[in-house]
Amino acid sequence: MFDKSTWIRLPRNVVVGHGALDDLGDAVGELYLSGTPLIVTSPSPNQIVGDRVREQLSGAETVIVAEAGFEQVQNVIDAAREVDAGYLVGLGGGKPIDTAKMASDELDVGFVSVPTAASHDGIVSGRGSIPEGDTRHSVAAEPPLAVVADTDVIADAPWELTTAGCADIISNYTAVADWQLARRLKGVEYSEYGGALARMTAEMLVDNADLIRPGLEESAWIVVKALVSSGVAMSIAGSSRPASGAEHLFSHQLDRIAPGRALHGHQVGVGSIMTAYLHDGPDGLWQDIRAALESLDAPTTAADLGLSDDELLEALTTAHEIRDRYTVLGDGITEKAAREVAETTGVI
Ligand SMILES: [Zn+2]
């Protein structure tokens, strides 16, 4: 009997480009949302573009979040209840956007994503993660109803945020390889469309790595479009699998072992070099991944991430414990194997 079914949730409006911020009012107007908009932002984006956003959303209220964390999500929920918010607008980098995403999920109201940096693929997807104590909570929330990404604003963000976004996209290579492995070995559900789109996105970014340079608005354009297409791949798959494999487990484990040391995208980039090696051996894709990261000036070594060799090896040997997601790490790799992959790939 045929009993498969699928439910794909995608953003309704995605507006990317020069001056896109001025289209926010129209992009939101087309969604027929009602009630008070609550802008969830952090101090610096609020200062830079907060007024431009408030001008276009009549009656909007604003709540400032200082850092990521469950306490902040709760603050946003309280603020939303106080003003009886009809929907939330996440404005800023990863933290306010993840916070708004999770609060909107809890409140069961819509959410609009207005990134001011291209630092990770969570700006478009329904996946988010929030630190709690020494661990992270990943939540599958609905994707944003609309995404408005102004390349003029994003081009001015600190360059390392953009290279972190690039590295997050490049890691799709190993995420998809892990997903295919899990399909073969564990019968995990696989989406050809989601897998192909995620991989193609990584390929396009690597092919264009030469064009991605600080201060160039075109770079912001390439990276944001790639983040959008990664997010769409996750929406199609109904899972973060297209963009999150063993390299993400490694990064989440680093967040516990060495919290706050490096950016998410930079950690997954280095993770991806090593897990690509584990997939294909010495003559495989890991060299292309490393070369692309190098050309972007993104970290490729433990030292670049501010980590000792021991911290890196601990994260690599224990990453499989993070969650029940089958990857090339299987039930864990030995310290000897971890050292060999890290040394051969030049990570330590
Ligand atoms: Zn990521």
Side-chain angles (χ1 to χ4, degrees):
M1 199 185 82
F2 186 83
D3 61 357
K4 272 174 98 166
S5 75
T6 183
W7 188 339
I8 298 175
R9 291 189 178 89
L10 294 163
R12 162 92 182 253
N13 280 330
V14 177
V15 188
V16 179
H18 183 83
L21 203 57
D22 297 323
D23 295 323
L24 176 67
D26 290 340
V28 171
E30 281 187 10
L31 302 170
Y32 307 107
L33 296 166
S34 58
T36 304
L38 178 65
I39 300 164
V40 180
T41 187
S42 53
S44 113
N46 184 48
Q47 199 191 346
I48 298 165
V49 289
D51 287 339
R52 267 173 86 190
V53 170
R54 278 181 287 272
E55 241 160 54
Q56 298 180 68
L57 304 173
S58 69
E61 299 280 349
T62 303
V63 56
I64 308 279
V65 296
E67 55 204 46
F70 271 105
E71 217 172 286
Q72 302 286 337
V73 175
Q74 194 54 49
N75 287 347
V76 171
I77 291 171
D78 293 344
R81 294 208 166 114
E82 210 164 288
V83 302
D84 195 20
Y87 61 97
L88 306 187
V89 178
L91 171 67
K95 282 166 204 158
I97 288 186
D98 270 350
T99 307
K101 184 188 292 177
M102 299 210 175
S104 75
D105 199 47
E106 190 69 31
L107 290 158
D108 219 5
V109 298
F111 150 65
V112 173
S113 175
V114 187
T116 57
S119 57
H120 66 81
D121 54 24
I123 61 175
V124 186
S125 82
R127 310 277 142 180
S129 81
I130 287 275
E132 189 191 28
D134 62 352
T135 150
R136 281 189 95 80
H137 269 253
S138 287
V139 178
E142 300 201 7
L145 297 170
V147 181
V148 176
D150 193 322
T151 48
D152 187 28
V153 173
I154 291 170
D156 278 342
W159 179 239
E160 71 263 21
L161 296 178
T162 308
T163 64
C166 291
D168 206 8
I169 296 156
I170 292 171
S171 81
N172 287 2
Y173 276 121
T174 46
V176 172
D178 279 320
W179 193 13
Q180 290 172 334
L181 184 73
R183 170 176 61 168
R184 288 195 296 274
L185 298 185
K186 300 286 172 182
V188 166
E189 183 95 21
Y190 181 78
S191 156
E192 294 286 351
Y193 188 5
L197 181 57
R199 208 189 143 89
M200 184 193 80
T201 304
E203 270 162 20
M204 279 171 56
L205 195 95
V206 168
D207 290 347
N208 283 307
D210 297 351
L211 299 173
I212 302 173
R213 289 290 167 262
L216 284 186
E217 193 172 341
E218 193 184 354
S219 306
W221 167 259
I222 294 167
V223 180
V224 173
K225 293 237 307 178
L227 293 172
V228 168
S229 107
S230 257
V232 168
M234 286 188 264
S235 287
I236 288 167
S239 150
S240 59
R241 274 280 191 185
S244 172
E247 76 296 325
H248 271 71
L249 300 180
F250 165 76
S251 170
H252 295 326
Q253 192 64 320
L254 279 180
D255 291 339
R256 294 161 79 156
I257 295 168
R261 208 74 67 79
L263 293 168
H264 165 81
H266 290 160
Q267 294 178 171
V268 303
V270 172
S272 203
I273 296 173
M274 295 187 290
T275 62
Y277 180 91
L278 290 173
H279 273 287
D280 316 320
D283 300 320
L285 198 59
W286 71 269
Q287 303 190 42
D288 296 341
I289 293 174
R290 189 176 73 171
L293 293 172
E294 260 168 6
S295 93
L296 291 163
D297 220 8
T300 57
T301 67
D304 291 345
L305 295 174
L307 298 169
S308 69
D309 293 0
D310 284 344
E311 286 169 327
L312 181 122
L313 293 173
E314 187 190 342
L316 190 58
T317 49
T318 57
H320 64 285
E321 295 166 5
I322 281 275
R323 62 178 287 192
D324 181 22
R325 164 160 287 188
Y326 192 82
T327 70
V328 72
L329 297 173
D331 298 326
I333 64 171
T334 62
E335 186 175 343
K336 185 163 174 278
R339 187 175 285 280
E340 194 198 311
V341 55
E343 283 176 358
T344 314
T345 55
V347 167
I348 64 172

